[in-house]
Amino acid sequence: MASKTHVTTTVNGDEHQYLCEPTQTLVDVLRNELELTGTKEGCSTGDCGACSVMVDGVLVCSCLTLAVETDGKSVETIEGMAGGGELTPLQRNFLELNGLQCGICTPGILIAAKALLDRNPDPTESEIRFWLAGNLCRCTGYDKIIRSVLAAAEEMRGN
Amino acid sequence: MPAILENSGYSPDRKLKVVGTNPVKHDGPDKVTGRAKFGADLIVPGMLFGKILRSPHPHAVVKSIDTSKAEALPGVKAVCTAVDFPEIPQGSGFGDMTRNIMAREKVYYDGHPVAAVAATSESIAKKALKLITVEYEILPHVIDPIEAMQPDAPILHDYLRTKNDDAEDKPTNIVERLAVSMGDIEKGFAEADVIVEREFDSQPMHQGYIEPQGCVASCSEDGQIDLYCTTQGTHVFRDRLSAILKTDSSKIRVSQSEMGGGFGGKTSFYGEPVAIVLSRKARRPVKIVLTRNEVFRCTGPVSGSRSRIKMGSTKDGKIVAAESQLVFQSGAFPGSSHINAAQAMFTRYALENIEVVSREVVSNRPKVNAFRAPCVPQVVFGVEGLVSEMAAKIGMDPLDFRLKNAAAEGYTTCYGVTFGPIGFVETLEAAKACDHYNSPVPEGQGRGVSAGFWFNRGGDTTGSLTIAPDGSVTILLGTSDVAGSRVSISMMAAEELGVPLDKVRAVFADTSSIGNNRVTAGSRTTFSVGMVIVDSARQAIAEMTRRAAEIWDVPVEGVTFEDGEFRPAGANVGDFDPLTIADIATRTSVSHGAIAGHTEMNVTGEGPGFGLHIVDVEVDKETGRVDVKRYTVVEDAGKAIHPLQVEGQYQGGAVQGIGWALNEEYVYGEDGRLQNPSFLDYRMPVSSDVPMIDTVIVEVPNPNHPFGLRGVGEVPVVPTLAAVGNAIGDAIGIRPQSLPMSPPKLLALIDEANG
Amino acid sequence: MAEEGYAAPQTVEAAVSLLGAANGDARVMAGGTDILVQLHADLIDPDLIVDIKNIPELCTITEEADGFRVGAAVSGMALMDHAGFNAAWPGVMEGVALIGSIQVKGRASIGGNLCNASPAADSVPPLIAAGAVANIAGPGGLRVVPVEDIITGPGATSLDQGEIIVSFTFPQSPAHSGDCYLRLTPRTEMDIAVVGAGVNLTMDDNGVCVAARVVLGAVAPTPLLASDAADALIGTQVDDAALAEMATATSAACDPISDKRGTKQYRIKTAAVIARRAAERALERARAN
Ligand code: FES
Ligand code: FES
């Protein structure tokens, strides 16, 4: 067996040092080594988006990222979203507008939606739909997810 | 015996404070922060990782399995095969069940488990699987159910004889023949001016939950089993585990995680018994999480079907006869819910003459499982196509035609139930009045409508409610929460107790902490649990009434409960300040102990649900691609406890149906292997594939329920396939009869329409 | 960091020598969105993964006198954020935009999309239509190869052991040029092309087509440079008759298989439709330039 590699990754602002196999994915390490199970794994092939995280500010699938690649990098997961104990407008709007049913897709969708709003504070319905096309949801039919993102964007723009 | 609340207490005049509002669900904050624990999220000390070896062949005899090399691999702590499971004879339900979990004599489908390993890491477990050698004797296989019915088809199970059929006594793949009928079908057709008859087919559809099955099992030396898993029914899992592992139910404790979608697919177990057997051998906790590939290859889709349907109408629009022959595929083992199809396919119209014969057939595919309104949408796809076709033939508006035939209170169905108050007519009228139906069909598009029906369900239900000394309320549930039932049930309790919702919390109890509950399925949970929790609340109120009487030293009749307060029933009782629930609860230790209520019921009194969908589509005539442009769901909820969640059910069901209608299908190769076991190639709808889904909630109360509830989980998917099919038919001139209505099939139809 | 199993060299030379020195199966990883799927599905079992994303040259986009040079490991999102390249090559970008989700494009690169060598790769037809060339480094030094000569069959390329693509050079397009890539999938996103078509046209001042490249995806073992289809446009005003002729030539060029994503007949039929629509769009762009 390949020997393990020592990796240092900053996750949600905290530095973590860990050992991992060279082919271990980031989602595996987040969930099983760092016990941050908020990031979900629905397919392991880049097709569902449940594992979405930010690596150095870029939205990626953590199932298609090797943990060793994040050595020296900074990762943001759902656990880091509600900084300082306050829910963000995105999280709050998902709650208030019922943007989640079972909630398994929710962490990935929130991470992806945040990445969108960071780039584009005023997206159209269609822009949101295409941006989130990589995040499958089987429960909601997407309607209330899209509405939650629209409402959060509006709130964040200060309207 | 199935029972209803003696006095449901339903009143249209009841002033509601909590029911009908849209509070944030109590499990919500954990789910938007990543704190919520799903099936794969439990990590326990010393945990091993389990992996399952699966057959690459669709049909083969398992001649031998050599696990010695895997056992010798460092880090491997247990290996199991079928010999580690109790032997249960073939031909019984549990015999089939244990063989589906772990193949014994034969493998019956691509992906059928043959062995499993538990190791200290996932990568070691994967390596160990490669060290197991299985000797197979490959048998001819059959994938298609119609081929499986032929006399020369490869036989899956030698023991199988068709139930309710007097065919000769030899093995067959036809599991069962069932018939549902009423009236005189010949006479009915004799009265018809218009008769339409067509054949339809549908594909199995995977439930497509985003959370793969995941569990952790832990077994002790004295035979106790602890199972944590994602499930639609902890008790059903426990009782079936008890049967296939031959262990007392009391020694098995099943606790549920949050469930990341189920839709029927998590009413059965797969890796869970394997994790238990591995844990028994290794004496350590074992976690098994299925991969998406395993989910597609081995967990249940709902049955695909073939149907021939014939219907007749008079020229003034009365449907006089309906007849059908159905075939449902059940996968490798019997277990299709085709009775639902036979009973529900025509139900919603007040027909007098019906004849349905349905057959269930096994073939070399994964055993089917339930999916929202199991087996109904795929036959309604045909029926509602013919209904619209008849309406067109006699020149009637499709909604008027449906209204003219709509079942109402007092109609006795083909399965013998007489409807109480139902809301089909109201649903159709709401559809006729809605903006979508009254807007012209945009240029270049087609419009379709379809109606749908589902029984709604009750069944074994247990709930418990306790009031803490500070007056706050805890509810224990043994059912699962698929999309917010915990808050809906809490809302009903808060309403009944007259306390703010914030004082009420509902939590899951494991199987050792609460009595039996049927699976969360069939739109039964919010209805049934709502009923038992309201009953439990009433028990608590009765007890508190007694205590208030004791405090005031007046007869019990002298105390009434109103707006969350105990008050003197009249001026003559005495001049007492009202007592709140907290006032009474705080004295538990100086009076009669804790205040609680609990109810066990085999609930009935469910109110059938009806829906009507309207959809506009655009078809690319050069490629056959379909764009869904506008969609409206109109449906009777009885009462929407939490309207946003009801809308969510409508919308989610419609989009699942759109996927099934347009693209979702199983593609098998000549070799009998599934070729598209991935989200990429299974093609569920993504967010950019669908429009907003408009909803109209109709409320025709079910008086058997304290708040008039019916259940809303199943109906939303029932009309979808047919509505989309009718819209495509309107757009291209030929109504498709084969699901999915994928671009290549539609392009062929378009070419046919253009001659 | 160079551990057994994974290496992330900082220079092209280091990458080439790592690949050359590796015993057993060494794989180049850019975004990893294909090879990690293959790895975890046990389709490949490499002894060494060489991550080329830490080599600056592979991750930069530069505009040079003779056109754009795009590092082979530049991610799809980085390319989508480059206004100048988007304006110059909208058709290439239409292909890039279709490589998986936003998340996948956060890592996937055109170099990876090409070297994965799928006949259905979305960025490859427009790259070939654009006339892009691959700048390849290897043990024998540098060589420059037209993109159409890279893929030799499903999953196979003409790269030698130890070679990597460093960058792609896009020519400067003449006036009145335009490109477009369209594909057909049952869903709007997250699908593999059933057919795809990249078209790049140049018109003269009189509105006559003087150069054309038509490249088809998913209709043959490799992306197909359909010269007969292009010839049907050259010398015409790309009117309906020319487009119809191009469509016929497109269908004739197709040699697809039937598989889970589409039948042979369906692919042949729709390739003509998609190619015609791509040509119409490319024409609009050429006229506007
Ligand atoms: S788990 Fe990464 S995309 Fe599905
Ligand atoms: S809420 Fe269940 S998958 Fe999205």
Side-chain angles (χ1 to χ4, degrees):
Chain A
M1 196 187 2
S3 62
K4 289 198 173 184
T5 303
H6 178 265
V7 182
T8 306
T9 307
T10 300
V11 182
N12 301 325
D14 298 328
E15 186 184 292
H16 289 271
Q17 302 197 11
Y18 54 90
L19 295 175
C20 71
E21 293 169 23
T23 55
Q24 230 174 322
T25 56
L26 178 58
V27 66
D28 186 5
V29 162
L30 286 173
R31 292 176 51 81
N32 294 318
E33 308 292 333
L34 308 185
E35 302 196 357
L36 292 168
T37 55
T39 301
K40 306 302 177 191
E41 188 163 19
C43 70
S44 325
T45 51
D47 299 314
C48 76
C51 65
S52 300
V53 299
M54 303 294 283
V55 176
D56 275 358
V58 178
L59 176 66
V60 302
C61 292
S62 57
C63 72
L64 295 185
T65 303
L66 293 176
V68 288
E69 292 182 67
T70 64
D71 191 36
K73 296 202 157 114
S74 154
V75 173
E76 286 164 59
T77 71
I78 186 66
E79 285 93 344
M81 190 173 272
E86 282 289 305
L87 294 178
T88 62
L90 257 173
Q91 290 167 309
R92 231 179 333 91
N93 278 285
F94 268 72
L95 288 179
E96 283 165 9
L97 302 180
N98 205 32
L100 61 146
Q101 288 187 21
C102 79
I104 193 82
C105 66
T106 312
I109 288 185
L110 287 169
I111 292 283
K114 176 173 183 298
L116 170 64
L117 299 187
D118 286 348
R119 293 166 59 103
N120 178 358
D122 191 10
T124 63
E125 178 196 333
S126 161
E127 283 168 338
I128 298 171
R129 285 190 181 278
F130 278 90
W131 183 272
L132 292 180
N135 291 85
L136 285 174
C137 173
R138 190 60 153 175
C139 295
T140 62
Y142 302 106
D143 184 300
K144 296 197 190 305
I145 290 175
I146 307 299
R147 287 182 202 279
S148 301
V149 178
L150 282 167
E154 185 172 330
E155 184 183 326
M156 288 159 73
R157 289 194 308 273
N159 295 341
Chain B
M1 283 295 283
I4 59 173
L5 286 184
E6 235 160 70
N7 172 12
S8 80
Y10 174 76
S11 159
D13 304 326
R14 183 166 178 180
K15 294 270 172 301
L16 300 171
K17 294 201 183 94
V18 185
V19 165
T21 64
N22 289 308
V24 167
K25 58 183 173 191
H26 295 156
D27 48 317
D30 278 357
K31 288 179 173 172
V32 298
T33 52
R35 214 179 293 120
K37 290 273 171 277
F38 290 83
D41 295 343
L42 186 66
I43 295 170
V44 296
M47 185 173 87
L48 302 173
F49 296 85
K51 283 269 160 206
I52 297 172
L53 182 70
R54 295 177 182 275
S55 164
H57 307 298
H59 197 193
V61 176
V62 180
K63 309 264 298 186
S64 67
I65 305 177
D66 181 356
T67 60
S68 55
K69 286 206 192 87
E71 279 160 52
L73 185 71
V76 171
K77 301 295 174 190
V79 178
C80 79
T81 65
V83 301
D84 298 299
F85 288 76
E87 161 77 55
I88 302 172
Q90 261 174 316
S92 62
F94 290 121
D96 287 345
M97 191 178 288
T98 189
R99 280 169 180 78
N100 192 34
I101 297 308
M102 192 59 77
R104 205 164 262 273
E105 303 82 4
K106 293 208 282 183
V107 291
Y108 293 104
Y109 54 93
D110 165 36
H112 197 160
V114 286
V117 168
T120 50
S121 79
E122 224 177 308
S123 60
I124 296 175
K126 273 174 94 170
K127 271 195 197 94
L129 290 188
K130 292 187 189 144
L131 298 174
I132 298 175
T133 43
V134 185
E135 198 192 332
Y136 294 102
E137 178 192 325
I138 296 175
L139 300 172
H141 66 271
V142 58
I143 298 291
D144 180 78
I146 300 296
E147 282 170 28
M149 293 170 79
Q150 304 312 311
D152 57 347
I155 292 291
L156 273 74
H157 306 286
D158 287 332
Y159 71 81
L160 205 64
R161 304 289 181 278
T162 309
K163 239 190 272 167
N164 307 326
D165 201 356
D166 24 288
E168 54 186 313
D169 181 23
K170 65 171 209 213
T172 171
N173 292 325
I174 306 173
V175 177
E176 178 182 52
R177 173 190 186 278
L178 66 82
V180 169
S181 66
M182 73 191 297
D184 181 340
I185 195 77
E186 316 252 293
K187 185 168 148 280
F189 278 117
E191 288 165 17
D193 300 307
V194 173
I195 293 177
V196 287
E197 180 174 13
R198 292 188 187 280
E199 276 182 41
F200 302 90
D201 70 75
S202 75
Q203 282 276 325
M205 187 249 206
H206 198 277
Q207 293 78 358
Y209 38 81
I210 307 303
E211 179 206 30
Q213 276 81 353
C215 68
V216 178
S218 186
C219 303
S220 68
E221 286 70 9
D222 63 349
Q224 321 247 22
I225 298 171
D226 233 311
L227 175 70
Y228 168 92
C229 61
T230 176
T231 173
Q232 287 180 247
T234 50
H235 290 97
V236 171
F237 271 32
R238 180 197 64 182
D239 297 342
R240 290 177 185 166
L241 286 168
S242 157
I244 68 163
L245 300 173
K246 301 209 167 150
T247 301
D248 290 344
S249 284
S250 63
K251 295 203 184 80
I252 307 173
R253 187 170 68 141
V254 181
S255 354
Q256 61 183 310
S257 66
E258 292 293 337
M259 182 172 56
F263 316 112
K266 288 175 183 162
T267 56
S268 304
F269 47 56
Y270 297 95
E272 292 81 356
V274 180
I276 291 171
V277 167
L278 287 170
S279 172
R280 262 185 183 167
K281 291 186 94 172
R283 297 281 180 236
R284 282 169 69 171
V286 174
K287 178 180 208 164
I288 292 186
V289 179
L290 299 190
T291 63
R292 181 56 53 182
N293 175 290
E294 292 178 297
V295 168
F296 274 118
R297 281 165 69 207
C298 320
T299 70
V302 74
S303 298
S305 65
R306 300 292 175 93
S307 52
R308 166 172 283 281
I309 307 171
K310 181 176 170 187
M311 297 181 81
S313 162
T314 62
K315 58 180 177 300
D316 59 349
K318 182 171 161 24
I319 305 174
V320 285
E323 176 185 75
S324 182
Q325 292 91 43
L326 307 173
V327 174
F328 278 88
Q329 62 99 346
S330 50
F333 298 97
S336 160
S337 329
H338 66 142
I339 180 93
N340 292 339
Q343 294 181 344
M345 67 187 295
F346 299 116
T347 300
R348 69 204 160 276
Y349 301 117
L351 303 185
E352 285 157 22
N353 308 304
I354 293 179
E355 200 163 290
V356 181
V357 174
S358 181
R359 287 185 175 77
E360 178 192 354
V361 180
V362 289
S363 65
N364 296 110
R365 317 169 62 122
K367 180 188 179 300
V368 294
N369 207 342
F371 170 71
R372 295 176 102 154
C375 294
V376 178
Q378 55 270 59
V379 289
V380 165
F381 169 68
V383 173
E384 288 287 311
L386 296 185
V387 169
S388 283
E389 187 176 343
M390 288 188 292
K393 283 210 159 114
I394 60 173
M396 250 174 111
D397 172 87
L399 287 188
D400 287 336
F401 185 67
R402 286 170 171 85
L403 262 171
K404 179 156 180 131
N405 291 286
E409 183 168 0
Y411 170 68
T412 300
T413 63
C414 59
Y415 52 96
V417 165
T418 301
F419 283 148
I422 55 169
F424 190 34
V425 167
E426 290 80 352
T427 298
L428 291 168
E429 277 165 354
K432 260 192 93 170
C434 80
D435 179 64
H436 187 170
Y437 200 66
N438 290 292
S439 312
V441 184
E443 183 65 32
Q445 297 182 17
R447 175 168 297 167
V449 301
S450 167
F453 153 82
W454 176 252
F455 313 89
N456 291 327
R457 300 292 192 200
D460 279 5
T461 310
T462 306
S464 157
L465 176 149
T466 56
I467 297 179
D470 67 355
S472 63
V473 181
T474 303
I475 294 169
L476 282 187
L477 299 176
T479 44
S480 307
D481 184 345
V482 298
S485 59
R486 269 167 294 182
V487 76
S488 305
I489 290 159
S490 300
M491 288 166 76
M492 289 186 261
E495 190 76 65
E496 195 69 24
L497 291 167
V499 298
L501 176 62
D502 192 42
K503 294 274 177 232
V504 186
R505 280 291 181 281
V507 299
F508 296 138
D510 61 46
T511 52
S512 301
S513 317
I514 199 164
N516 266 38
N517 282 279
R518 201 180 142 184
V519 283
T520 286
S523 297
R524 72 168 219 93
T525 292
T526 306
F527 165 75
S528 308
V529 183
M531 205 140 153
V532 306
I533 289 300
V534 166
D535 189 56
S536 301
R538 289 177 184 170
Q539 292 167 22
I541 291 166
E543 173 60 22
M544 289 186 285
T545 306
R546 277 190 290 278
R547 293 190 192 184
E550 200 173 279
I551 292 166
W552 291 334
D553 196 17
V554 300
V556 172
E557 302 72 47
V559 180
T560 64
F561 180 68
E562 259 175 274
D563 292 336
E565 288 183 339
F566 297 89
R567 298 175 183 159
N572 56 345
V573 175
D575 184 16
F576 300 107
D577 284 343
L579 291 166
T580 63
I581 288 178
D583 290 338
I584 295 174
T586 192
R587 303 169 188 234
T588 50
S589 56
V590 295
S591 59
H592 305 282
I595 299 162
H598 67 93
T599 302
E600 296 80 21
M601 252 176 100
N602 182 355
V603 173
T604 185
E606 56 270 28
F610 297 86
L612 190 289
H613 290 197
I614 309 166
V615 53
D616 295 351
V617 304
E618 189 170 284
V619 183
D620 182 333
K621 304 245 168 55
E622 288 185 311
T623 64
R625 261 198 97 247
V626 175
D627 249 330
V628 177
K629 303 300 261 187
R630 187 172 180 186
Y631 205 108
T632 303
V633 176
V634 186
E635 185 182 322
D636 177 19
K639 173 70 193 172
I641 302 298
H642 188 297
L644 272 181
Q645 292 192 2
V646 171
E647 289 174 14
Q649 289 298 310
Y650 292 4
Q651 293 163 335
V655 170
Q656 289 180 339
I658 289 171
W660 196 359
L662 295 180
N663 291 311
E664 294 178 33
E665 66 179 317
Y666 278 59
V667 183
Y668 279 92
E670 287 289 302
D671 57 4
R673 292 186 195 169
L674 184 60
Q675 297 197 335
N676 60 336
S678 67
F679 280 140
L680 180 65
D681 286 315
Y682 179 71
R683 292 172 169 151
M684 284 162 26
V686 301
S687 52
S688 49
D689 289 337
V690 288
M692 293 295 189
I693 308 292
D694 295 331
T695 56
V696 179
I697 300 176
V698 177
E699 293 186 322
V700 176
N702 167 17
N704 294 328
H705 188 277
F707 297 104
L709 201 88
R710 290 181 185 275
V712 293
E714 324 295 300
V715 178
V717 80
V718 174
T720 313
L721 314 180
V724 173
N726 288 347
I728 292 172
D730 186 41
I732 68 173
I734 295 190
R735 206 286 192 170
Q737 289 164 235
S738 173
L739 289 167
M741 297 174 277
S742 56
K745 283 198 218 161
L746 290 193
L747 190 59
L749 283 186
I750 291 163
D751 289 347
E752 192 184 318
N754 296 340
Chain C
M1 189 177 67
E3 299 283 345
E4 190 200 341
Y6 171 83
Q10 312 272 339
T11 64
V12 171
E13 296 69 38
V16 168
S17 77
L18 266 170
L19 288 165
N23 349 321
D25 185 11
R27 297 269 169 160
V28 176
M29 178 173 88
T33 52
D34 287 312
I35 83 156
L36 294 188
V37 173
Q38 293 158 6
L39 182 81
H40 289 111
D42 282 334
L43 298 173
I44 57 170
D45 186 14
D47 301 289
L48 177 68
I49 293 173
V50 179
D51 182 352
I52 55 172
K53 284 191 300 297
N54 292 4
I55 307 172
E57 227 182 312
L58 273 87
C59 299
T60 45
I61 307 169
T62 47
E63 187 166 7
E64 295 166 2
D66 52 346
F68 279 97
R69 178 186 278 261
V70 177
V74 169
S75 73
M77 287 310 283
L79 213 43
M80 287 170 76
D81 286 341
H82 193 286
F85 190 83
N86 279 266
W89 294 104
V92 171
M93 290 315 301
E94 282 161 339
V96 170
L98 289 167
I99 306 176
S101 61
I102 303 289
Q103 287 87 332
V104 166
K105 286 190 285 275
R107 293 176 44 92
S109 62
I110 49 179
N113 200 222
L114 176 64
C115 292
N116 187 50
S118 157
D122 284 307
S123 71
V124 179
L127 222 60
I128 297 174
V133 297
N135 304 304
I136 298 169
L142 293 174
R143 62 188 183 112
V144 176
V145 176
V147 172
E148 56 266 38
D149 293 338
I150 301 283
I151 301 181
T152 54
T157 70
S158 59
L159 294 185
D160 284 334
Q161 175 69 41
E163 282 190 324
I164 57 170
I165 299 181
V166 175
S167 61
F168 298 94
T169 304
F170 291 79
Q172 197 70 268
S173 353
H176 312 309
S177 295
D179 73 335
C180 175
Y181 175 76
L182 293 177
R183 73 167 185 188
L184 174 62
T185 54
R187 294 184 293 176
T188 48
E189 282 280 329
M190 304 304 290
D191 249 335
I192 302 289
V194 176
V195 299
V199 176
N200 185 17
L201 298 177
T202 304
M203 313 297 283
D204 68 10
D205 289 341
N206 303 319
V208 173
C209 176
V210 290
R213 278 162 82 87
V214 177
V215 187
L216 307 171
V219 295
T222 66
L224 197 70
L225 185 58
S227 43
D228 288 351
D231 289 346
L233 301 178
I234 297 172
T236 74
Q237 296 196 316
V238 192
D239 49 18
D240 287 350
L243 285 166
E245 201 167 314
M246 182 209 68
T248 310
T250 298
S251 282
C254 294
D255 180 22
I257 52 166
S258 290
D259 67 4
K260 61 190 169 191
R261 295 178 183 135
T263 62
K264 186 176 163 131
Q265 289 72 19
Y266 182 72
R267 284 190 156 118
I268 292 176
K269 207 159 178 180
T270 52
V273 173
I274 298 302
R276 193 199 71 229
R277 291 179 185 176
E280 285 168 350
R281 188 89 188 85
L283 177 66
E284 270 171 42
R285 286 178 179 155
R287 284 183 177 150
N289 281 334

